[in-house]
Amino acid sequence: MVVGSRGDGFGAWRWDGAGWREAGAFGAAAGPGVAWVDGLAVAGEQVVAVAGDGGGYGMWISPDAGGSWRPVGLPAAVPDGGDSAVAVAGAGDRVVVVADDGKSSRVWSTSVRDVGR
């Protein structure tokens, strides 16, 4: 699976053996900046994406390999800007989110079952 900009938001594509096929879409542009995907991770049966939407960063989760997505929010707000960044990683059922808002850096780790609760 790959994710990236699609229209005014983000989309997912899956390889089906013959080519890339569109899967689900998530998010929407929220500000004047450029929208981009910062990270994609697999944890348990879930796919987690973090992206900048031109106004700030957000996080989305997909239970079905990118077919459907729901926003889950980051543990703390991270504004869009040249000195901010967000990344995500997954291992087993754990999700690790790293964020730098330009003033401080933070790291969170939780079970993917607890993301968005």
Side-chain angles (χ1 to χ4, degrees):
M1 177 183 2
V2 296
V3 294
S5 295
R6 182 194 294 165
D8 290 337
F10 306 101
W13 292 263
R14 291 186 288 220
W15 180 259
D16 69 1
W20 290 101
R21 305 287 181 236
E22 287 187 5
F26 59 98
V34 176
W36 68 95
V37 175
D38 276 273
L40 182 67
V42 175
E45 301 284 324
Q46 312 285 324
V47 178
V48 181
V50 292
D53 62 12
Y57 288 88
M59 186 164 63
W60 293 264
I61 192 165
S62 173
D64 56 4
S68 63
W69 296 86
R70 67 180 173 88
V72 292
L74 290 167
V78 180
D80 187 4
D83 58 353
S84 60
V86 176
V88 64
D93 79 335
R94 303 295 297 176
V95 174
V96 176
V97 177
V98 180
D100 185 333
D101 64 8
K103 296 179 180 126
S104 64
S105 298
R106 299 180 183 136
V107 177
W108 297 273
S109 176
T110 189
S111 167
V112 72
R113 292 181 303 273
D114 295 331
V115 172
R117 286 188 185 188

